[in-house]
RNA sequence: CGAGGUGUAGCGCAGUUGGCUAGCGCGCCUGCUUUGGGAGCAGGAUGUCGGGGGUUCGAGUCCCUUCACCUCGACCA
């Protein structure tokens, strides 16, 4: 047993020894993705894609419940269209992929492969919005976009990535701002309830905000190594894009007005967070609500009379109870199957063998704690859904404890630098609101401002960096 | 894009101052025996040594060049 255990541990790099290598190992060995022949582009394999489908399902339901509709825009953006909003082009131009040929001929105007679709939505809104009666427009699309990044990592940063982008148009500032914050709450609720990931909500500093936005709001999550991952953003555009794209409508007094807009997105990057928050040295750990398979049945001594029959009977019972369950009756050894489904993060494993059948029970092993417990076969349909819910809640509790215990406070710059250098996690500190301090902090420590949290405190009266009067509390950290 | 590193079978690697028919482990295939934590035995298949060029009687090994990937920075969801 000790020998086998060792073999298993050697299969992936230890999480605490080399976190980034551990991440790469989990992503590939759990068969979430494979690399493709184009640099920085990844293949989502069945399990990786199933997770993305689950994320889509959870978000899409919430979007629709809050009145949004899905559309699909083209993937090409003519160069002239992309250039209409100055800040926006400036932000994205360096990483755009261009199509210059079509059908063997050079195009008159080159086409950008969308890095994001604000411009396409704006062009469309300019056409279809005439009256206040046409508002609001609450559109979303599920697509992939391309950004020519210099370095890439599976899920965290790839040339092509899948996401949803919501783009809305409203009558006025108040409506648009309400929408911006509503979507940020939806993101927070989704990752908390479905992915068991706690986040901190806040506003981005001007330096970190989206190209073309007036305000950018974010949910920031903390990975197991203490680094931050921006996990979803919601932008308030004011009427900046509306002026650039001439999106106007006649209001109730028959006066011509510009619309006020928002956009918001969550990408496959969130799967990186899912991995880096919950998983361990045995591989992936999936919260039950997002797990494509919640229970894996592993028969033991399956060649013996009655074992497979009982396993199939339990399979049918659990399916009927609404559990996503599978039976592995392949001829691999039980030990192999144990390790395999641990690597793939299946929340519960059900072992059933001749001894169990005789006792009228089955063994249930939890993926997150590793504990094994016997349950009466007759009670499985009732008890397992409860156990899945318990596990979901435990994962969130553990992640919340991990987040809260690693948020530190700094009132002076020496303490700040020591914390950033010595303690993985976030640091709360007061800020004067000026760019030079933000840049200096980044240069000195490599930490960036993650957000200006909604939950403000008056830690001190002066900026942690320059000593000038402080304007607000900022959350700092090293980020992915 | 800067600095460093790695490319040899599906995966992980060894390959000596340049020398014979390029090896090992895992995986894969076949058969038998097995089955409560990655099973055992026997047999079998798999290589443009990342690509191109050069030096040499002879290159996986030396030189030039190019490509890809990884790590750390700068940029981003």
């Amino acid at each position: 047993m000790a020998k086998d255990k060792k073999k298993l541990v050697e299969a992936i790099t230890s999480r605490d020894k080399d976190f980034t290598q551990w991440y790469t190992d989990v992503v590939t060995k759990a068969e979430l993705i494979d690399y493709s022949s184009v640099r920085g582009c990844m293949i989502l394999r069945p399990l990786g894609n199933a997770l993305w489908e689950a994320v889509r399902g959870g978000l899409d339901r919430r979007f629709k419940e809050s009145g949004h509709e899905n559309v699909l825009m083209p993937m090409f953006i003519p160069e002239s269209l992309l250039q209409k909003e100055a800040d926006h082009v400036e932000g994205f131009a360096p990483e755009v992929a261009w199509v210059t040929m079509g059908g063997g001929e050079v195009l008159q105007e080159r086409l950008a492969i969308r890095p994001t679709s604000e411009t396409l939505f704006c062009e469309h809104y300019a056409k279809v919005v005439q009256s206040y009666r046409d508002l609001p427009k609450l559109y979303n699309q599920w697509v992939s976009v391309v950004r020519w990044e210099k370095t890439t990592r599976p899920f965290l940063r790839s040339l092509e990535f899948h996401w949803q982008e919501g783009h809305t148009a409203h009558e006025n500032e108040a409506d648009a701002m309400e929408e911006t914050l509503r979507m940020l709450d939806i993101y927070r609720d989704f990752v908390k309830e479905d992915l068991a990931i706690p986040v901190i909500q806040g506003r981005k500093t001007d330096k970190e905000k989206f190209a073309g936005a007036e305000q950018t709001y974010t949910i920031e999550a903390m990975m197991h190594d203490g680094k931050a991952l921006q996990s979803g953003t919601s932008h308030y555009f004011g009427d900046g894009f509306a002026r650039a794209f001439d999106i106007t409508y006649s209001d109730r007094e028959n006066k011509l007005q510009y619309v006020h807009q928002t956009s918001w997105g969550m990408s496959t990057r969130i799967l990186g967070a899912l991995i880096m928050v919950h998983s361990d040295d045995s591989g992936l750990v999936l919260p039950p609500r997002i797990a494509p398979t919640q229970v894996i049945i592993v028969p033991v001594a399956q060649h013996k009379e009655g074992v497979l029959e009982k396993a199939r009977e339990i399979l049918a019972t659990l399916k009927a109870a609404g559990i996503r369950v599978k039976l592995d009756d392949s001829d691999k050894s039980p030990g192999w199957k144990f390790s395999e489904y641990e690597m793939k993060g299946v929340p519960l494993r059900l072992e059933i063998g001749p001894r169990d059948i005789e006792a009228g029970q089955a063994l249930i092993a939890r993926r997150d704690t590793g504990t094994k417990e016997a349950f009466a076969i007759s009670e499985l349909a009732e008890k397992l859904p409860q156990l899945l819910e318990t596990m979901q809640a435990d994962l969130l509790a553990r992640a919340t404890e991990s987040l809260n215990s690693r948020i530190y406070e700094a009132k002076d710059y020496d303490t700040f630098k020591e914390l950033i250098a010595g303690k993985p996690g976030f640091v709360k500190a007061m800020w004067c609101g000026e760019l030079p301090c933000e840049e200096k902090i980044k240069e000195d420590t490599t930490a960036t401002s993650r957000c200006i949290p909604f939950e403000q405190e008056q830690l001190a009266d002066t900026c942690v960096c320059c000593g000038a009067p402080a304007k607000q509390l900022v959350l700092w950290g090293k980020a992915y």
Side-chain angles (χ1 to χ4, degrees), chain A residues 133-419:
Chain A
R133 294 191 181 90
D134 297 324
L135 296 172
K137 283 276 182 267
L138 305 174
Y139 288 175
N140 174 65
Q141 68 174 359
W142 291 94
V143 293
S144 71
V145 292
V146 169
R147 298 180 189 176
W148 216 260
E149 302 289 349
K150 284 165 184 162
T151 55
T152 60
R153 305 206 54 204
F155 295 121
L156 303 178
R157 187 182 304 117
S158 46
L159 291 200
E160 181 191 23
F161 60 90
H162 299 265
W163 75 344
Q164 57 72 214
E165 45 178 327
H167 296 268
T168 67
H170 306 262
E171 284 185 57
N172 54 50
E173 182 176 336
D175 288 359
M177 185 55 87
E178 190 185 328
E179 167 78 2
T180 306
L181 298 175
R182 175 186 303 119
M183 299 323 290
L184 192 71
D185 282 351
I186 283 180
Y187 286 150
R188 176 200 57 195
D189 294 346
F190 166 71
V191 299
K192 185 177 170 188
E193 291 164 10
D194 289 19
L195 307 185
I197 298 173
V199 293
I200 292 171
Q201 285 188 312
R203 181 165 60 83
K204 285 289 186 187
T205 61
D206 285 352
K207 179 177 186 295
E208 302 284 332
K209 77 182 184 189
F210 179 81
E214 276 195 20
Q215 296 296 345
T216 288
Y217 298 88
T218 179
I219 54 171
E220 297 286 326
M222 190 192 291
M223 304 301 101
H224 183 262
D225 64 349
K227 285 169 85 172
L229 191 74
Q230 179 176 308
S231 301
T233 47
S234 187
H235 314 289
Y236 170 72
F237 287 154
D239 60 6
F241 277 90
R243 288 177 187 274
F245 287 83
D246 200 26
I247 313 173
T248 56
Y249 71 96
S250 301
D251 71 8
R252 288 165 176 79
E253 277 84 48
N254 196 28
K255 279 202 292 204
L256 209 55
Q257 303 280 5
Y258 287 109
V259 299
H260 286 67
Q261 290 169 275
T262 81
S263 83
W264 25 275
M266 182 173 279
S267 73
T268 39
R269 171 179 271 192
I270 197 69
L271 297 180
L274 184 69
I275 297 160
M276 289 194 287
V277 167
H278 299 303
S279 299
D280 62 23
D281 284 354
S282 297
L284 206 55
V285 175
L286 295 175
R289 283 191 204 155
I290 206 76
T293 302
Q294 297 171 308
V295 176
I296 182 71
I297 301 175
V298 178
V300 174
Q302 63 185 34
H303 59 290
K304 297 231 171 99
E305 185 74 22
V307 172
L308 274 180
E309 287 74 3
K310 183 55 84 176
R312 293 199 181 105
E313 193 183 307
I314 293 172
L315 175 72
T317 309
L318 295 184
K319 259 187 194 162
I323 295 173
R324 296 190 290 276
V325 57
K326 278 190 177 167
L327 164 66
D328 186 345
D329 58 1
S330 70
D331 63 0
K332 307 270 193 192
S333 75
W336 188 93
K337 292 175 189 175
F338 293 171
S339 300
E340 174 72 3
Y341 295 104
E342 280 168 10
M343 184 63 74
K344 293 194 169 171
V346 177
L348 297 179
R349 179 180 71 242
L350 188 154
E351 300 173 25
I352 181 86
R355 299 209 292 264
D356 303 305
I357 294 173
E358 205 174 318
Q361 64 175 36
L363 291 179
I364 302 293
R366 266 178 74 158
R367 176 61 184 86
D368 59 335
T369 57
T371 53
K372 225 189 236 193
E373 199 185 340
F375 283 75
I377 291 176
S378 57
E379 291 182 337
L380 287 172
E382 182 197 348
K383 293 279 179 67
L384 291 197
Q386 293 169 12
L387 187 55
L388 288 167
E389 279 305 299
T390 304
M391 184 173 161
Q392 179 84 26
D394 287 354
L395 283 171
L396 177 62
R398 220 170 295 140
T400 305
E401 164 61 22
S402 170
L403 169 66
N404 292 338
S405 66
R406 291 187 294 172
I407 299 177
Y408 306 100
E409 295 176 356
K411 291 176 183 166
D412 62 82
Y413 202 41
D414 284 341
T415 308
F416 183 88
K417 284 190 285 193
E418 275 170 32
L419 283 169

Side-chain angles (χ1 to χ4, degrees), chain A residues 28-202:
Chain A
T28 53
K29 298 237 163 86
E31 298 181 355
L32 298 176
I33 64 121
D34 196 9
Y35 297 96
S36 77
S37 54
V38 178
R39 175 186 78 88
C41 293
M42 61 187 179
I43 294 160
L44 284 178
R45 302 181 69 181
L47 182 55
N49 187 58
L51 290 177
W52 182 234
E53 283 180 341
V55 167
R56 284 183 63 151
L59 281 175
D60 207 58
R61 176 175 61 77
R62 289 168 170 87
F63 294 162
K64 284 171 180 160
E65 277 169 5
S66 51
H68 299 84
E69 297 175 290
N70 284 339
V71 297
L72 283 171
M73 291 284 165
M75 75 184 303
F76 299 120
I77 306 174
E79 183 165 21
S80 54
L81 184 63
L82 191 65
Q83 285 178 338
K84 278 198 170 181
E85 211 282 338
D87 291 341
H88 190 63
V89 203
E90 199 187 319
F92 282 100
E95 51 187 17
V96 167
W98 296 100
V99 175
T100 58
M101 301 270 295
E105 302 200 359
V106 175
L107 301 177
Q108 290 210 333
E109 181 180 12
R110 56 182 187 163
L111 302 174
I113 298 177
R114 63 183 165 216
T116 179
S117 307
E118 272 73 13
T119 54
L120 292 165
F121 278 89
C122 285
E123 183 186 43
H124 179 63
Y125 284 152
K127 284 183 196 161
V128 300
V129 173
Q130 312 286 336
S131 147
Y132 70 89
R133 294 191 181 90
D134 297 324
L135 296 172
K137 283 276 182 267
L138 305 174
Y139 288 175
N140 174 65
Q141 68 174 359
W142 291 94
V143 293
S144 71
V145 292
V146 169
R147 298 180 189 176
W148 216 260
E149 302 289 349
K150 284 165 184 162
T151 55
T152 60
R153 305 206 54 204
F155 295 121
L156 303 178
R157 187 182 304 117
S158 46
L159 291 200
E160 181 191 23
F161 60 90
H162 299 265
W163 75 344
Q164 57 72 214
E165 45 178 327
H167 296 268
T168 67
H170 306 262
E171 284 185 57
N172 54 50
E173 182 176 336
D175 288 359
M177 185 55 87
E178 190 185 328
E179 167 78 2
T180 306
L181 298 175
R182 175 186 303 119
M183 299 323 290
L184 192 71
D185 282 351
I186 283 180
Y187 286 150
R188 176 200 57 195
D189 294 346
F190 166 71
V191 299
K192 185 177 170 188
E193 291 164 10
D194 289 19
L195 307 185
I197 298 173
V199 293
I200 292 171
Q201 285 188 312

